[in-house]
Amino acid sequence: MNTFNFSKHLDIKNVRINDTFWNSIIKLVKNEVIPYQYLALQDKIDGAEKSFCIENFIKAKNTKNKMKCGKSIKTFPVDKWHYDEKNSEPEAFKGWVFQDSDVYKWIEAVSYSLQNFPDSELESKALEYIDIICDAQLENGYLDTLYIINDISKAFTNLKDHHELYCFGHLAEAAVSFYNATGNDKLLKTACAFADLICDTFGENKIKGYDGHEICEMALFKLYKATGIKKYLDTALFFINERGKKPYYYDTEKGIVSTGDNYHYNQAHIPPRQQTEAVGHAVRGVYLYSAMADLAKELKDKELKATCDSIWDNIENKKMYITGGIGATVDGEAFSFDYDLPNDLAYSETCASIGLIFFARRMGEMSFDSKYNDVIERALYNTVLAGMGQDGKSFFYVNPLEVLPEASRCDSRKHHIKPVRQKWFGCACCPPNLARLISSLNEYIYNENDNTIFINQYICSSAKTKYGNLELCEQNGKYILKADFSKPIKIALRIPYWCDKFELNRSFEIINGYAVFNCSHDYIEINLNTAPKIVRCSNRVRANTGKAAVTYGPFIYCLEEADNGCDLQMLSIDTSKKPVLNNGYITAEGYREIPDSRLYMNYLEPRKEKCTLKFIPYYKWGNRGENEMCVYVRV
Amino acid sequence: MNTFNFSKHLDIKNVRINDTFWNSIIKLVKNEVIPYQYLALQDKIDGAEKSFCIENFIKAKNTKNKMKCGKSIKTFPVDKWHYDEKNSEPEAFKGWVFQDSDVYKWIEAVSYSLQNFPDSELESKALEYIDIICDAQLENGYLDTLYIINDISKAFTNLKDHHELYCFGHLAEAAVSFYNATGNDKLLKTACAFADLICDTFGENKIKGYDGHEICEMALFKLYKATGIKKYLDTALFFINERGKKPYYYDTEKGIVSTGDNYHYNQAHIPPRQQTEAVGHAVRGVYLYSAMADLAKELKDKELKATCDSIWDNIENKKMYITGGIGATVDGEAFSFDYDLPNDLAYSETCASIGLIFFARRMGEMSFDSKYNDVIERALYNTVLAGMGQDGKSFFYVNPLEVLPEASRCDSRKHHIKPVRQKWFGCACCPPNLARLISSLNEYIYNENDNTIFINQYICSSAKTKYGNLELCEQNGKYILKADFSKPIKIALRIPYWCDKFELNRSFEIINGYAVFNCSHDYIEINLNTAPKIVRCSNRVRANTGKAAVTYGPFIYCLEEADNGCDLQMLSIDTSKKPVLNNGYITAEGYREIPDSRLYMNYLEPRKEKCTLKFIPYYKWGNRGENEMCVYVRV
């Protein structure tokens, strides 16, 4: 089906979301998350961990001005990932080495939001931050507050552990988004100046290094697409091709010789083109894979595409939770080995699922297969949504599939599992990442190419395509597609992976998981026959043998103690009975065992009573205080 | 049943073991473990981690002699738990801070062994080590090679982290045993000299400190029983009473003020008398509890007994694996919270089960209840035996109930889970501890008091009691008890917890789990009707809901990949069919699921095929190379 390849998502400005469910989330982001983060960046949230983000930019500006005046500059060590308020001098950099990226992610989220909801006050706030950012940039284009404040002579000397190229990446993404949203190119110029410096610094016959936390490859590509400046594309490709080569650059910059085993963490143990499975820090991984997909598509690079296909297959079929979570282990926030998907020890970082969505969109634009958007849907409706509390002010970084609050308190192996959402993180990658994804959701619904409109997500919305207008809405439990095209055009409508009975009021062909049909001026009824279902996980996953989960459409459900009492492990579900959808929850028939009085005993089936299990959507868990939760229940 | 209280185990010299099974293990210890450890103590085992034990004693002697001559002494830091060969000066102490205890434990094992098998060559070797030990003792009685070699001025300044009192404890236990075995009191005098120094140093109006790793309380009590010197008893009691008082001594010696939360690890967060559950480092815990039981019994201290009862109950009913393992978490090698008994993350240290046996024996001597010896049997036949390979030269420190070699390699949370036994440990607490327990097994079979002989373990043996001779042997699957008493005396025969049909060819009364009857010149047939059984664990334990285990008598069985193929999680057992005992293994009917091809799917029971599960005794696991293992299987 080569003719279907190479589609492109519709731009945010061409899609308007009219979805009740999603608009409530998008507005929560606009009305709560964005203003909250605006204050957090300036450390104005009582009781939240300090960010130091804006403070660092202002310090950097002052240092830069001193430099310009030729004043003597005090230096501070650049030797840690985190700079404590207590243990370093007041003028030095504070917080995490990647703290600059917080404001960049915020600006990116604001940019998308402005396109959905023009808001001059918010735009002014963004411009205020943009001024602060641009003021800190050195004349040569360099912009990383850690090194500007603490010791500029050390810039680019610790690519492995520090985050200059990572922060650049978020800067570039923010700059392109803000430019697209407002036409204001101030931040874009700043990003390009830094990008130029990076292109001058890294490459053949220059420094043959590459970033420790990937994102700049994807960002350079975005900057290339926005500006047409080819060296950005070349440098992105250089970073990908250079990564993991021997002798290891990470060894070279530290003056050591290693086996490279530790560089699995950075996907830099072997060159990316030789990689076949997802390894290492999950967010780093999916950011790299996203860039690889960008370049494979742009350059029609078959080798790179084959690598992406192999890594995708590994994630989708061996390393992804039912919730779309990835990165099973807290150890390095990393992918674990195949089928190692523990429920109660899961890391499953919100950011990693967001990155998986980036990777999936790029794969779905390169290859025509519904599986990519199936994964986007799985991650979006579950792990991503779960990352944010219903107040928009509390967040999960880690998204376990089973929680026992006592274990989180008492067991150091589970300290990363928080039974309730946290106010804000000093290491605040997830909340602003979530804000930028949710605010740009418009871009995940439709794709188009020379002869087809692809409908990837069932999010009610209206779209301007190059062939005319299209509207997707919901009526009486069915989706209605209204097309108003100048000429007959193909529609490819994703049949969701969870849909057992897909009905359309016209004939269609199923190609690669999509229902494909011609359409011009049309009113099409789509019936997904969504119903509560019992599903299960492969028996290759040790944690889930003999268990099942309950779903409704794209939503994975879970049991909470608040509804079902404690000791959730004593519950089992009767798979012969159909679960029933109620108002926001699902009930299913099952059993509750009577607690045993002895620790060990001759085998007799535990005594049990019939009971009704009450499931809530996974994304809503942990909104009612600390309590037990589990996704899987015994059958 | 107060009349039955306060029994005492028969001394090793009065019991001869004639048991085929156990004699093969005891001889393995004598012929392999003891000679192997003799060489290991001198670092003469190729490829094994170095012990430095004897080397340190020789260095300490040299330092001491220099001191005596008034020569200047070079000092080295005493600031770590482990002193690396590479990173410290050649003349300094090497290895773990508690390394002295290795030779003490070896001498204790040798002492027991000599009573079972007189061996003048082995006795000479022990005397050779005893000379080396005694030569290192300072004139004031002090004997800890770390401080003698590195900096004697720092002695007793870090009780929390260092192990002077712990090493003293093992010295005293070794000394008493060697004296009992040979009548040679050289080591006993050395132990007493050190004990005298300790009694002079610690107490009311002296240093109000206590050990960081308990054992000296139990050892001082043993020394008191051997010598009659009351101050040893007083100091043991002082240590117990002082422990955990505020202000914390561990704070005082470091000049800090803490909440004491970290002292859970040392059972020193509150005074032992106020403790109601087992917490902290499991070996430390059971060593303390053993001493508390010793003193409670000796002093008829009701408060201390009530504390022991409560802690016992907590361990037995909430914190003990089916294998008799304790200390569920690697984090601090510690007891976890109630019912937290994960199979694949278990710590369950061999030494902790040995310590549990010490505690249980003391409890069983204080209170008449079969549960104490039930636990001894459970720990002895499973975790303790599993600790040693069938070659007597490889050992498990950690005893998991489920092993996936890939997880042990890839998952840092499971690095402590070794899929095969290790040659020797630098931190070699378990192998010599195992040797001393197995070599003194004679003392765990019979107890006596004023009117009763208690038979606690079904280990074929002959005993000299104060009433006459007794013999327990096995014939055609039955046990035979031959009594030759001067007058009718009560026999209390433990009915094992696993025995569903206990038969005796005479009438008996069941009291606290014992079959009690009168006996003089008698030949009694005991039929335990041992048969393979399916058992299960309380549904309060999350890891084991919906699962069962297979046992035969006191032996817990397990599945290994070598017999059952990989992916043991795909197996289930048919509990309606009786498992069958074969030659050394048990077969049971069950199913093997066909591996699923997809990761997530609509619920349908997995396809499965009938199969025969082959179980081997747990203690034999890991003797056929690296492979999967599990104790529990789904029903």
Side-chain angles (χ1 to χ4, degrees):
Chain A
M1 289 304 308
N2 232 17
T3 50
F4 284 103
N5 283 354
F6 303 108
S7 71
K8 181 80 187 77
H9 64 266
L10 290 189
D11 192 83
I12 188 167
K13 64 177 177 288
N14 293 319
V15 180
R16 175 149 302 279
I17 294 178
N18 311 312
D19 195 285
T20 318
F21 176 80
W22 279 107
N23 270 347
S24 71
I25 312 275
I26 292 166
K27 282 181 182 152
L28 189 67
V29 168
K30 177 181 164 40
N31 296 331
E32 298 294 340
V33 182
I34 288 177
Y36 184 85
Q37 294 184 3
Y38 174 76
L39 296 175
L41 291 167
Q42 300 177 67
D43 302 318
K44 289 183 175 169
I45 305 284
D46 280 346
E49 276 188 58
K50 282 181 110 173
S51 153
F52 302 104
C53 180
I54 295 302
E55 190 180 318
N56 286 330
F57 276 99
I58 292 168
K59 279 183 190 171
K61 179 182 87 174
N62 294 338
T63 308
K64 168 196 155 182
N65 288 340
K66 275 192 203 164
M67 283 183 201
K68 273 169 89 173
C69 305
K71 285 189 192 162
S72 80
I73 310 285
K74 198 169 169 188
T75 61
F76 308 97
V78 187
D79 54 357
K80 290 186 286 287
W81 278 25
H82 184 255
Y83 296 81
D84 204 281
E85 196 170 9
K86 289 174 199 152
N87 303 320
S88 56
E89 299 190 47
E91 318 99 277
F93 175 92
K94 296 283 184 305
W96 294 93
V97 289
F98 44 78
Q99 214 69 55
D100 290 2
S101 62
D102 281 6
V103 66
Y104 301 146
K105 281 189 253 180
W106 182 81
I107 291 171
E108 190 181 343
V110 167
S111 306
Y112 301 133
S113 180
L114 289 176
Q115 292 186 69
N116 283 317
F117 314 100
D119 178 335
S120 58
E121 199 189 327
L122 181 60
E123 193 173 334
S124 303
K125 284 181 178 171
L127 283 166
E128 171 198 323
Y129 277 167
I130 287 172
D131 288 344
I132 292 172
I133 293 164
C134 296
D135 281 349
Q137 185 168 41
L138 300 189
E139 288 190 10
N140 69 352
Y142 186 85
L143 181 46
D144 186 275
T145 67
L146 168 63
Y147 282 92
I148 295 174
I149 299 169
N150 278 16
D151 191 353
I152 190 64
S153 74
K154 300 265 180 8
F156 295 138
T157 58
N158 186 354
L159 297 186
K160 175 176 163 285
D161 301 318
H162 288 175
H163 285 64
E164 294 152 289
L165 294 171
Y166 171 83
C167 289
F168 157 74
H170 276 297
L171 166 64
E173 299 222 341
V176 170
S177 308
F178 194 74
Y179 174 71
N180 288 340
T182 64
N184 181 316
D185 66 355
K186 182 168 183 178
L187 196 64
L188 187 64
K189 281 179 178 163
T190 291
C192 286
F194 196 9
D196 293 343
L197 175 68
I198 289 167
C199 294
D200 289 348
T201 306
F202 299 96
E204 294 300 336
N205 306 316
K206 301 173 202 168
I207 296 178
K208 297 181 85 170
Y210 39 86
D211 45 340
H213 191 314
E214 298 94 318
I215 191 174
C216 76
E217 302 82 355
M218 185 168 34
L220 281 166
F221 181 75
K222 222 176 234 184
L223 213 53
Y224 156 69
K225 293 303 260 186
T227 63
I229 300 172
K230 187 165 169 292
K231 67 178 172 183
Y232 301 156
L233 174 67
D234 297 340
T235 303
L237 186 64
F238 168 81
F239 283 141
I240 287 172
N241 287 340
E242 197 59 31
R243 190 172 207 86
K245 275 193 189 165
K246 288 186 183 173
Y248 293 111
Y249 180 76
Y250 295 159
D251 277 4
T252 309
E253 69 174 2
K254 293 222 167 24
I256 58 169
V257 176
S258 81
T259 60
D261 252 14
N262 288 339
Y263 306 146
H264 277 88
Y265 176 77
N266 316 76
Q267 296 80 37
H269 54 300
I270 51 170
R273 287 173 189 273
Q274 294 168 28
Q275 297 185 25
T276 53
E277 60 168 331
V279 299
H281 186 265
V283 177
R284 282 171 164 79
V286 283
Y287 282 8
L288 171 66
Y289 311 146
S290 297
M292 287 161 65
D294 274 335
L295 295 192
K297 182 183 171 193
E298 180 73 17
L299 304 171
K300 302 193 170 40
D301 184 329
K302 283 185 188 165
E303 186 187 61
L304 212 46
K305 180 175 183 300
T307 299
C308 290
D309 287 342
S310 167
I311 291 172
W312 173 271
D313 178 66
N314 182 249
I315 295 176
E316 186 195 1
N317 297 310
K318 296 176 182 170
K319 293 186 177 172
M320 182 181 69
Y321 284 100
I322 194 170
T323 53
I326 54 170
T329 170
V330 63
D331 180 26
E333 306 176 333
F335 289 105
S336 188
F337 55 93
D338 290 349
Y339 303 112
D340 184 42
L341 295 165
N343 297 312
D344 56 342
L345 291 164
Y347 199 72
S348 181
E349 186 180 336
T350 307
C351 281
S353 285
I354 292 171
L356 176 61
I357 290 173
F358 297 158
F359 181 35
R361 184 171 76 182
R362 284 157 175 82
M363 293 300 286
E365 293 185 7
M366 183 157 51
S367 300
F368 178 48
D369 196 310
S370 65
K371 66 186 179 186
Y372 304 111
N373 281 288
D374 283 347
V375 164
I376 289 178
E377 190 181 42
R378 198 187 273 281
L380 188 61
Y381 284 81
N382 299 291
T383 297
V384 171
L385 272 185
M388 184 167 64
Q390 298 190 298
D391 58 1
K393 291 172 184 170
S394 54
F395 304 92
F396 277 134
Y397 201 100
V398 163
N399 297 281
L401 282 79
E402 183 179 322
V403 171
L404 175 66
E406 190 171 17
S408 297
R409 276 194 304 275
C410 302
D411 184 346
S412 72
R413 297 164 306 200
K414 295 179 185 168
H415 282 347
H416 63 289
I417 308 281
K418 305 295 176 202
V420 289
R421 286 175 185 77
Q422 312 289 299
K423 216 168 174 185
W424 182 259
F425 306 89
C427 173
C429 58
C430 298
N433 225 352
L434 212 147
R436 69 184 183 127
L437 176 71
I438 299 289
S439 303
S440 63
L441 201 57
N442 320 47
E443 299 199 335
Y444 292 83
I445 306 171
Y446 304 97
N447 277 23
E448 61 183 8
N449 70 10
D450 285 346
N451 56 14
T452 308
I453 304 289
F454 300 83
I455 301 174
N456 293 316
Q457 298 300 334
Y458 288 83
I459 298 176
C460 299
S461 52
S462 49
K464 282 184 201 157
T465 78
K466 55 185 169 185
Y467 309 106
N469 294 333
L470 192 62
E471 193 184 340
L472 182 68
C473 56
E474 208 176 350
Q475 267 174 24
N476 307 322
K478 291 180 186 173
Y479 285 95
I480 309 293
L481 191 64
K482 297 177 197 160
D484 188 16
F485 295 154
S486 49
K487 60 170 187 177
I489 195 80
K490 269 193 188 143
I491 293 273
L493 187 63
R494 182 177 61 97
I495 304 173
Y497 69 92
W498 47 262
C499 174
D500 294 325
K501 194 177 168 198
F502 180 85
E503 292 176 313
L504 214 57
N505 62 348
R506 61 166 58 210
S507 64
F508 60 92
E509 193 183 357
I510 296 181
I511 306 175
N512 299 341
Y514 282 81
V516 179
F517 52 91
N518 283 304
C519 175
S520 54
H521 300 280
D522 275 294
Y523 180 97
I524 300 147
E525 255 186 40
I526 309 157
N527 193 350
L528 301 179
N529 294 291
T530 313
K533 300 204 320 183
I534 302 178
V535 301
R536 72 172 177 84
C537 176
S538 166
N539 52 13
R540 296 182 195 265
V541 176
R542 280 157 200 271
N544 295 331
T545 49
K547 295 180 181 174
V550 168
T551 67
Y552 178 77
F555 294 101
I556 310 299
Y557 276 61
C558 69
L559 294 165
E560 274 203 309
E561 182 180 347
D563 301 311
N564 299 281
C566 65
D567 282 325
L568 297 179
Q569 84 279 7
M570 296 198 193
L571 299 177
S572 56
I573 188 168
D574 182 345
T575 56
S576 69
K577 306 280 166 54
K578 284 205 168 169
V580 178
L581 184 71
N582 294 282
N583 186 22
Y585 58 90
I586 290 175
T587 52
E589 292 185 40
Y591 300 91
R592 174 176 268 284
E593 292 179 5
I594 312 297
D596 292 314
S597 52
R598 296 179 55 194
L599 190 53
Y600 300 108
M601 64 211 86
N602 286 346
Y603 188 80
L604 263 185
E605 216 180 296
R607 287 189 305 133
K608 58 190 181 186
E609 292 170 345
K610 278 197 175 185
C611 75
T612 300
L613 309 179
K614 183 173 169 183
F615 293 83
I616 60 163
Y618 174 73
Y619 79 88
K620 286 188 175 174
W621 87 270
N623 276 297
R624 294 176 290 179
E626 204 177 275
N627 76 159
E628 285 184 39
M629 182 276 287
C630 68
V631 167
Y632 288 98
V633 59
R634 273 187 298 144
V635 297
Chain B
M1 290 303 308
N2 233 13
T3 48
F4 283 104
N5 284 355
F6 303 108
S7 71
K8 182 77 187 79
H9 64 265
L10 289 189
D11 193 83
I12 188 167
K13 65 177 175 287
N14 292 321
V15 181
R16 175 149 303 279
I17 293 179
N18 310 312
D19 193 284
T20 317
F21 175 80
W22 279 107
N23 271 347
S24 72
I25 313 273
I26 293 166
K27 281 182 182 151
L28 190 67
V29 168
K30 175 178 166 43
N31 297 330
E32 298 295 339
V33 182
I34 288 176
Y36 184 84
Q37 294 185 2
Y38 173 77
L39 296 175
L41 293 166
Q42 301 178 68
D43 302 318
K44 289 183 176 169
I45 305 284
D46 279 346
E49 274 188 59
K50 282 180 109 175
S51 152
F52 302 105
C53 180
I54 295 302
E55 190 181 316
N56 285 330
F57 276 100
I58 292 168
K59 280 183 189 170
K61 178 182 89 174
N62 293 339
T63 309
K64 168 194 152 181
N65 288 339
K66 275 193 203 164
M67 284 182 200
K68 274 170 89 172
C69 305
K71 285 189 192 163
S72 79
I73 310 285
K74 198 168 169 188
T75 62
F76 307 98
V78 187
D79 54 358
K80 292 187 285 286
W81 278 24
H82 183 254
Y83 297 80
D84 203 281
E85 195 170 10
K86 290 173 199 153
N87 303 321
S88 56
E89 298 190 50
E91 317 98 277
F93 176 91
K94 297 281 185 303
W96 294 93
V97 289
F98 44 78
Q99 215 69 56
D100 290 1
S101 63
D102 281 6
V103 66
Y104 301 146
K105 282 190 252 182
W106 182 81
I107 291 171
E108 191 182 342
V110 167
S111 304
Y112 301 133
S113 180
L114 289 176
Q115 291 186 70
N116 283 318
F117 312 100
D119 178 335
S120 58
E121 199 188 328
L122 181 60
E123 192 172 335
S124 303
K125 284 180 176 172
L127 284 167
E128 171 198 325
Y129 277 167
I130 287 172
D131 288 344
I132 291 173
I133 293 164
C134 297
D135 281 349
Q137 185 168 42
L138 300 189
E139 287 190 12
N140 70 351
Y142 186 86
L143 181 45
D144 185 276
T145 67
L146 168 63
Y147 283 92
I148 295 175
I149 298 169
N150 279 17
D151 191 352
I152 190 64
S153 74
K154 300 265 181 4
F156 296 137
T157 59
N158 186 354
L159 297 186
K160 175 175 163 285
D161 301 319
H162 288 176
H163 284 63
E164 294 151 289
L165 294 172
Y166 171 82
C167 289
F168 157 74
H170 276 297
L171 166 64
E173 299 221 343
V176 171
S177 307
F178 194 75
Y179 173 71
N180 287 342
T182 64
N184 181 317
D185 67 355
K186 181 168 184 179
L187 196 64
L188 188 64
K189 282 180 177 162
T190 291
C192 287
F194 195 7
D196 292 342
L197 175 68
I198 288 167
C199 294
D200 288 347
T201 306
F202 299 96
E204 294 299 337
N205 306 317
K206 303 172 202 169
I207 297 178
K208 297 181 85 170
Y210 39 87
D211 45 340
H213 190 316
E214 299 94 319
I215 192 175
C216 77
E217 302 83 354
M218 185 167 37
L220 280 166
F221 180 75
K222 222 175 235 184
L223 212 53
Y224 156 68
K225 292 303 260 187
T227 64
I229 300 173
K230 189 166 168 290
K231 66 178 171 182
Y232 301 156
L233 174 67
D234 296 340
T235 303
L237 186 64
F238 168 80
F239 283 140
I240 289 173
N241 288 339
E242 196 59 29
R243 192 171 206 87
K245 275 193 189 165
K246 287 185 184 174
Y248 293 112
Y249 181 76
Y250 295 159
D251 277 4
T252 309
E253 69 174 2
K254 293 219 168 23
I256 59 169
V257 176
S258 80
T259 61
D261 252 14
N262 288 338
Y263 307 147
H264 277 88
Y265 177 78
N266 316 76
Q267 295 80 37
H269 53 301
I270 51 171
R273 287 173 189 273
Q274 295 168 26
Q275 298 185 25
T276 53
E277 60 168 331
V279 299
H281 186 264
V283 176
R284 281 171 166 80
V286 283
Y287 282 9
L288 171 65
Y289 311 146
S290 296
M292 286 161 66
D294 274 335
L295 294 193
K297 182 182 170 192
E298 180 72 18
L299 304 171
K300 302 195 169 39
D301 184 328
K302 283 185 188 165
E303 186 186 59
L304 211 47
K305 180 175 183 299
T307 299
C308 290
D309 287 343
S310 169
I311 291 172
W312 174 272
D313 178 65
N314 182 250
I315 295 176
E316 185 195 3
N317 296 310
K318 296 177 182 170
K319 295 186 175 172
M320 182 182 69
Y321 284 100
I322 193 170
T323 53
I326 54 169
T329 171
V330 63
D331 181 27
E333 306 175 333
F335 288 105
S336 189
F337 55 93
D338 289 349
Y339 303 112
D340 185 41
L341 295 166
N343 297 312
D344 57 343
L345 292 164
Y347 200 73
S348 181
E349 187 180 336
T350 307
C351 281
S353 285
I354 292 170
L356 176 61
I357 289 173
F358 296 159
F359 181 34
R361 185 171 77 183
R362 284 157 176 82
M363 293 300 285
E365 292 186 8
M366 184 158 49
S367 300
F368 177 48
D369 196 312
S370 65
K371 65 186 180 186
Y372 304 110
N373 280 289
D374 283 347
V375 165
I376 289 178
E377 189 181 43
R378 199 187 273 280
L380 187 63
Y381 284 81
N382 299 291
T383 297
V384 171
L385 271 185
M388 184 167 65
Q390 298 190 299
D391 58 0
K393 293 172 182 169
S394 54
F395 304 91
F396 277 133
Y397 200 99
V398 163
N399 297 282
L401 282 78
E402 183 179 321
V403 170
L404 175 66
E406 191 171 16
S408 297
R409 276 195 304 275
C410 301
D411 185 346
S412 73
R413 298 163 305 201
K414 296 180 186 168
H415 282 348
H416 63 288
I417 308 281
K418 304 295 175 203
V420 289
R421 285 174 184 77
Q422 311 289 298
K423 217 169 171 184
W424 182 259
F425 307 88
C427 172
C429 58
C430 297
N433 223 353
L434 212 147
R436 70 185 182 125
L437 176 70
I438 299 289
S439 303
S440 63
L441 201 56
N442 321 47
E443 300 198 336
Y444 291 83
I445 308 171
Y446 304 97
N447 278 22
E448 61 182 8
N449 69 10
D450 284 349
N451 56 15
T452 308
I453 304 289
F454 301 83
I455 301 174
N456 293 315
Q457 299 299 334
Y458 288 83
I459 297 174
C460 300
S461 52
S462 49
K464 282 185 204 158
T465 78
K466 54 184 168 183
Y467 310 107
N469 293 335
L470 191 62
E471 194 185 340
L472 181 69
C473 56
E474 207 176 351
Q475 266 174 28
N476 306 321
K478 292 181 186 172
Y479 285 96
I480 309 294
L481 191 64
K482 298 178 199 162
D484 189 13
F485 295 155
S486 49
K487 59 170 186 176
I489 195 81
K490 270 193 187 144
I491 294 273
L493 188 62
R494 182 176 63 95
I495 304 173
Y497 69 93
W498 46 263
C499 175
D500 295 324
K501 194 177 168 195
F502 180 85
E503 292 176 314
L504 214 57
N505 63 346
R506 61 165 60 208
S507 64
F508 60 91
E509 192 183 357
I510 296 183
I511 305 175
N512 300 341
Y514 282 80
V516 179
F517 51 91
N518 284 304
C519 174
S520 53
H521 301 279
D522 276 293
Y523 180 99
I524 300 146
E525 256 187 40
I526 309 156
N527 194 349
L528 301 178
N529 293 293
T530 312
K533 299 205 321 183
I534 303 179
V535 301
R536 72 173 177 84
C537 176
S538 165
N539 52 12
R540 297 183 195 263
V541 176
R542 281 156 199 273
N544 294 332
T545 49
K547 295 180 179 172
V550 168
T551 66
Y552 178 77
F555 294 102
I556 309 300
Y557 276 61
C558 69
L559 294 166
E560 273 203 309
E561 181 180 348
D563 301 311
N564 299 282
C566 66
D567 282 325
L568 297 179
Q569 84 278 9
M570 297 198 192
L571 299 176
S572 56
I573 188 168
D574 181 346
T575 55
S576 69
K577 307 281 169 49
K578 284 206 167 169
V580 178
L581 184 71
N582 294 282
N583 186 20
Y585 58 90
I586 290 175
T587 52
E589 291 184 42
Y591 300 91
R592 174 176 270 284
E593 293 180 4
I594 314 296
D596 292 314
S597 52
R598 298 179 54 194
L599 191 52
Y600 301 109
M601 65 211 85
N602 287 345
Y603 188 81
L604 265 183
E605 216 180 295
R607 288 189 304 134
K608 57 190 182 185
E609 292 170 344
K610 279 197 175 185
C611 74
T612 301
L613 308 180
K614 183 172 168 184
F615 293 82
I616 60 163
Y618 174 74
Y619 80 88
K620 285 187 175 174
W621 87 271
N623 276 297
R624 293 175 292 178
E626 203 177 273
N627 78 159
E628 286 183 39
M629 182 277 286
C630 68
V631 168
Y632 289 96
V633 60
R634 273 186 299 144
V635 297

